[in-house]
Amino acid sequence: MKRTLLIISALALMCIGVRAQNLKATVNGAPIEMIEVEGGTFMMGDHMEQRADALPLHEVTLDTYYIGRTEVTQQLWTAVLGYNNSYFKGKYRPVETIDYDEVQAFIIKLNKLTGINFRLLTEAEWEYAARGGNLSKGYRYSGSNNISDVAWWNGNSRGKTHNVGQKQANELGLYDMTGNVREYCSDWAAPY
């Protein structure tokens, strides 16, 4: 489930070196909330066998890590970098229309402002969290078998982004892991 797109992208942040069940911080008035994802082993890849580039299924083991409860909002992006180039404007909408270099600049500055070590998730970390981690119920989408319960997608988005956290969360309490915008990961898209 590689989640990259050149035109509309957000980022999923991960922080390391912090021990707390959940982590909350504020940067220039903009909130950050991180959720602990307990490490475990899962079968990574396309369980529906619809994408040849996501096969074969293979076992991956991950340590415990933290992920943002929502996609990075335009409010947080602006609080860190001082600008917002998003096409669909809104304080609580996900940041989009950003490139990988801008993402790296955001992370470097966020680390300096908070003193916390943030980085992009790997594809495996992103997929494990999207599937619900060790609390997974095996849903087709992140948190439900009905895409409209958990996602803004072509069938209900009216061609625009929406405020984060408006749909049902997945088993870990994460929002918009399916739909709204795609996320950058630290590794690249390639067939398994």
Side-chain angles (χ1 to χ4, degrees):
M1 285 186 172
K2 185 65 178 168
R3 309 296 282 178
T4 59
L5 182 69
L6 297 178
I7 298 171
I8 299 178
S9 296
L11 58 149
L13 291 175
M14 183 232 184
C15 63
I16 53 179
V18 176
R19 288 300 307 159
Q21 188 165 20
N22 294 325
L23 170 72
K24 293 183 181 185
T26 304
V27 176
N28 296 326
I32 302 171
E33 186 174 2
M34 306 298 287
I35 302 297
E36 182 179 54
V37 179
E38 185 179 325
T41 300
F42 76 112
M43 294 303 293
M44 183 174 172
D46 184 357
H47 292 254
M48 305 297 170
E49 297 187 10
Q50 297 175 340
R51 291 185 43 223
D53 66 338
L55 293 172
L57 292 175
H58 58 285
E59 189 174 271
V60 175
T61 300
L62 298 169
D63 293 330
T64 297
Y65 59 97
Y66 296 84
I67 182 174
R69 183 180 288 278
T70 68
E71 297 158 319
V72 172
T73 64
Q74 293 174 37
Q75 177 189 29
L76 178 58
W77 183 270
T78 303
V80 172
L81 288 181
Y83 71 89
N84 177 13
N85 289 338
S86 296
Y87 182 78
F88 299 105
K89 300 286 187 200
K91 185 176 181 178
Y92 302 112
R93 286 186 176 191
V95 65
E96 31 90 357
T97 318
I98 54 176
D99 66 32
Y100 191 79
D101 291 336
E102 289 175 296
V103 170
Q104 293 307 314
F106 173 84
I107 292 170
I108 289 167
K109 190 155 185 193
L110 181 63
N111 288 345
K112 287 179 184 174
L113 290 170
T114 63
I116 299 169
N117 188 10
F118 290 95
R119 68 166 173 81
L120 286 176
L121 297 162
T122 65
E123 179 183 8
E125 290 164 340
W126 186 91
E127 184 174 328
Y128 182 64
R131 292 186 184 282
N134 63 10
L135 300 177
S136 178
K137 294 181 181 169
Y139 293 126
R140 181 173 185 170
Y141 306 103
S142 183
S144 178
N145 286 323
N146 180 349
I147 193 169
S148 292
D149 289 346
V150 294
W152 295 109
W153 62 289
N154 291 340
N156 68 3
S157 68
R158 298 180 311 281
K160 60 184 178 180
T161 64
H162 293 268
N163 288 351
V164 300
Q166 299 301 300
K167 293 290 187 170
Q168 177 180 305
N170 76 357
E171 298 92 328
L172 296 172
L174 303 173
Y175 293 92
D176 302 307
M177 295 296 285
T178 303
N180 216 3
V181 295
R182 297 180 184 191
E183 289 87 13
Y184 278 108
C185 292
S186 63
D187 43 5
W188 58 90
Y192 296 153

